């Protein structure tokens, strides 16, 4: 049943965090017109789609993930006309547009919640989770917020608690109420009717909860290494996460998408350390989420052993015919090139892996020039998470895009203060400089994207394990009817020799002076070097 590959299988996605990408309005915060002004860059880079984080009306306590109206544009970002222009201008350049869909919660300013809160007998009361206190006055159950503290907020006026998995100003919607489902599906239709090419579904596995709202058990072994989740790891989230009723819901959502022409896609934000449970979101008949994001690489230390486990683990559980996805970073994670992740020396190695694995890659804005986190002190933090639980703030990875060496890196006008500080290294690390430099990570990214498009093995070929490899080296094969590529990555700062990765020639590598060079059966890699080997001599 071989069908034509879908655009989202052969294509690459680029995540735009709109506050930080480009500011056309001159107020220090990025906007939709700013994105329009940079579409030529994205076309030049060669991405197939952009995913834009939320730009809907919002009090911006979680910078747009607290939506107060699902069917409009916040004036900070522009107007609905700007959005339509953006969509048309992107489509003219062959770039699809994916928008964020935030189903789990609304802002407490959303008219639905304002109504729901107004009285216990309001018709929208049941659109959210309202519950009485327990006899001792404590919250209805022990659930905790992903942003620290109890997940329940007391409402003085109506003397009940409401549920919020994130900030108290982000109230969880009750999807078991059919009116909620209807209203939220209508919101999706609104954007599909306008012509968007799909959705990235925010915190996809949280949407359905245990109907009895039972307590979560304590977690006997919190994995503090996954520190970005902080105190949330003190429980096992068996009752507020991954409820089986999520699956029929995503089947319905898929049917909604499929009822539109033009291959609309759903990309789910699906953190799940367990491979099997993560893969369940493809659906038993692959009729749920098209592209479940997988965060296994992000959540793994950047060592050959851990990355091999993550990549082979994902490949191993993919249902037959299912399509993987890969990502190195996003607006919630320390940047890949930062010292606490892989470090700048490994930035090109990571990019080469991202763009040669089998599956849809998503590049986080700035990753293509090797941007690193920009520290922001707790006192100056914009992200409320940093104030609720110091050390977890996400400002560092949201610093303004570094376009050129002019003041404010070309992100906003010179005399304007950007909403977050620009990286101190912007004069050296920026798009304009790297576009001219044949050895830059930007040039490598662009060339990899082009190769991926042109080389059938790279965009569609099978994945096969490669090994054993020497310590610190991760490698895999991509195989197609026309041949075999070996992707060989040295994750260490010392040279390595990799037996059996050749003979052949370098199709592309992080050291561009080796492109095209012949290779022996033993492939020699310098420190922090990666190559794609076009293998010859196969019988
Ligand atoms: C997702 C978003 C994150 C947001 C949270 C709550 O994880 O990526 O930025 O804070 O959901 O909406």
């Amino acid at each position: 049943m071989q069908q034509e590959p879908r655009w989202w299988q052969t294509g690459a996605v680029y995540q735009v965090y709109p506050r930080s990408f480009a500011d056309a309005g001159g107020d220090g915060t990025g906007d939709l017109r700013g994105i329009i002004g940079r579409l030529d860059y994205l076309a030049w880079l060669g991405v197939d789609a952009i995913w834009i984080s939320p730009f809907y009306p919002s009090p911006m306590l979680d910078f747009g993930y607290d939506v107060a109206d699902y069917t409009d544009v916040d004036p900070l970002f522009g107007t609905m006309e700007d959005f339509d222009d953006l969509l048309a201008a992107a489509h003219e350049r062959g770039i699809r547009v994916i928008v964020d869909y935030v189903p789990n919660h609304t802002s407490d300013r959303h008219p639905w919640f304002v109504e729901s809160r107004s009285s216990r007998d309001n018709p929208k009361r049941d659109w959210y989770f309202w519950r009485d206190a327990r006899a001792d006055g404590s919250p209805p159950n022990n659930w905790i917020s992903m942003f620290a503290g109890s997940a329940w907020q007391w409402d003085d006026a109506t003397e009940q608690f409401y549920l919020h998995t994130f900030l108290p100003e982000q109230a969880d919607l009750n999807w078991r109420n059919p009116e909620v489902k209807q209203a939220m599906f209508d919101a999706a239709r609104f954007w599909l009717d306008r012509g968007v090419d799909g959705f990235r579904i925010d915190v996809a596995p949280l949407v359905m909860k245990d109907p009895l709202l039972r307590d979560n058990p304590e977690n006997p072994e919190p994995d503090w290494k996954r520190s970005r989740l902080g105190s949330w790891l003190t429980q096992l989230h068996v009752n507020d996460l991954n409820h089986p009723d999520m699956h029929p819901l995503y089947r319905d959502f898929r049917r909604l998408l499929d009822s539109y022409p033009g291959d609309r896609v759903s990309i789910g934000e699906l953190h799940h350390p367990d491979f099997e449970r993560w893969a369940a979101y493809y659906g038993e008949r692959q009729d749920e989420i098209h592209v479940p994001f997988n965060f296994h690489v992000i959540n793994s230390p950047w060592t050959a052993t851990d990355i091999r486990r993550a990549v082979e683990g994902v490949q191993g559980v993919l249902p037959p015919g299912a399509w993987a996805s890969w990502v190195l970073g996003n607006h919630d994670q320390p940047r890949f090139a930062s010292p606490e992740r892989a470090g700048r020396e490994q930035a090109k190695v990571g990019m080469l892996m991202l763009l040669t694995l089998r599956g849809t890659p998503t590049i986080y804005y700035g990753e293509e020039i090797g941007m690193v986190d920009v520290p922001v002190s707790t006192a100056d933090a914009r992200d409320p998470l940093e104030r609720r639980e110091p050390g977890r703030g996400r400002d560092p990875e949201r610093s303004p895009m570094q376009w050129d060496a002019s003041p404010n890196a070309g992100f906003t006008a010179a005399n304007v203060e950007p909403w977050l500080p620009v990286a101190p290294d912007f004069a050296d690390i920026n798009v304009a400089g790297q576009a001219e430099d044949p050895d830059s990570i930007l040039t490598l990214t662009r060339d990899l994207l082009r190769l991926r498009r042109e080389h059938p093995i790279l965009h569609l070929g099978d994945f096969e394990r490669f090994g054993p490899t020497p310590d610190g080296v991760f490698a895999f094969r991509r195989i197609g009817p026309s041949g075999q590529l070996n992707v060989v990555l040295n994750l260490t700062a010392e040279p390595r020799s990799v037996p059996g990765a050749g003979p052949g020639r370098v199709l592309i590598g992080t050291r561009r002076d080796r492109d095209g060079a012949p290779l022996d059966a033993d492939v020699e890699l310098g420190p922090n070097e990666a190559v794609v080997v076009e293998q010859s001599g196969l019988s």
Side-chain angles (χ1 to χ4, degrees), residues 154-175:
W154 179 252
D155 179 58
D156 272 339
T158 58
E159 298 193 312
Q160 278 190 317
F161 282 98
Y162 67 86
L163 181 68
H164 61 90
T165 305
F166 295 90
L167 295 174
E169 294 85 359
Q170 292 168 295
D172 282 31
L173 279 167
N174 173 18
W175 277 75

Side-chain angles (χ1 to χ4, degrees), residues 419-460:
W419 82 285
L420 279 174
V422 174
D425 63 8
F426 77 89
D428 297 324
I429 309 284
N430 61 61
V431 168
Q434 291 197 16
E436 303 291 312
D437 175 2
D439 281 329
S440 68
I441 180 168
L442 179 60
T443 303
L444 177 70
T445 304
R446 182 169 182 246
D447 291 348
L448 281 164
L449 284 167
R450 199 192 54 241
L451 254 182
R452 229 182 152 266
R453 235 184 349 264
E454 289 169 0
H455 205 299
I457 301 182
L458 272 183
H459 65 247
L460 282 176

Side-chain angles (χ1 to χ4, degrees), residues 182-204:
Q182 173 78 41
M184 285 302 292
F185 274 41
D186 283 348
R189 279 189 196 97
F190 175 89
W191 294 102
L192 292 167
D193 288 339
R194 283 200 112 75
V196 304
D197 299 285
F199 299 105
R200 174 266 188 186
I201 307 171
D202 189 59
V203 291

Side-chain angles (χ1 to χ4, degrees), residues 29-148:
T29 301
D31 44 41
L32 298 182
R33 294 244 150 244
I35 303 173
I36 295 176
R38 298 297 182 175
L39 286 173
D40 283 336
Y41 163 71
L42 295 169
W44 170 88
L45 183 61
V47 297
D48 302 84
I50 52 174
W51 147 35
I52 313 174
S53 286
F55 47 80
Y56 316 116
S58 163
M60 302 291 166
L61 291 173
D62 192 15
F63 299 115
Y65 284 97
D66 44 335
V67 180
D69 180 352
Y70 286 103
T71 55
D72 207 346
V73 172
D74 193 284
L76 185 70
F77 294 120
T79 62
M80 195 54 96
E81 202 189 338
D82 293 336
F83 179 79
D84 289 339
D85 289 350
L86 166 55
L87 192 61
H91 284 170
E92 265 167 37
R93 290 164 177 78
I95 297 174
R96 318 251 180 168
V97 176
I98 296 165
V99 298
D100 225 297
Y101 185 66
V102 188
N104 182 67
H105 45 268
T106 71
S107 159
D108 64 346
R109 307 285 174 81
H110 196 296
W112 299 342
F113 188 75
V114 173
E115 266 194 60
S116 180
R117 173 178 233 169
S118 65
S119 75
R120 286 194 184 203
D121 53 14
N122 182 276
K124 290 208 170 54
R125 188 69 170 179
D126 182 53
W127 282 38
Y128 295 83
F129 294 88
W130 290 98
R131 295 290 184 279
D132 291 334
R134 284 193 276 207
D136 63 358
S138 62
N141 70 18
N142 74 346
W143 293 1
I144 47 181
S145 158
M146 216 179 270
F147 285 175

Side-chain angles (χ1 to χ4, degrees), residues 251-380:
R251 280 198 288 279
D252 288 351
F253 194 70
R254 171 67 166 261
R255 271 196 287 275
L256 171 67
L257 287 178
D258 289 349
S259 70
Y260 279 79
D263 249 350
R264 317 287 173 113
V265 71
S266 54
I267 301 179
E269 186 198 12
L270 283 156
H271 287 268
H272 207 291
D274 179 277
F275 290 114
E276 303 279 345
R277 299 196 66 182
W278 166 78
Y281 286 92
Y282 284 98
E284 270 171 29
R285 307 164 72 99
Q286 284 185 54
D287 51 359
E288 296 182 29
I289 293 176
H290 294 96
V291 186
F293 259 146
N294 94 71
F295 294 94
H296 293 96
V297 167
I298 286 188
N299 290 330
S300 302
W302 187 248
T303 71
T305 314
D306 290 289
I307 297 305
R308 174 188 298 274
R309 189 179 302 128
V311 169
E312 293 180 356
V314 167
Q315 286 295 150
V317 291
L318 283 181
W323 195 248
S325 76
W326 302 102
V327 59
L328 299 176
N330 66 27
H331 63 290
D332 299 323
Q333 307 289 338
R335 282 189 177 273
F336 180 77
S338 291
E340 67 175 294
R341 293 278 312 280
R344 205 159 240 161
E345 318 69 49
Q346 284 283 320
K348 289 181 183 171
V349 177
M351 185 59 80
L352 187 138
M353 180 184 90
L354 176 70
L355 298 181
T356 55
L357 278 168
R358 182 178 205 267
T360 306
T362 300
I363 299 171
Y364 182 47
Y365 86 90
E367 227 158 49
E368 75 275 28
I369 53 170
M371 275 173 64
V372 295
D373 287 352
V374 179
V376 177
S377 70
T378 307
D380 292 335

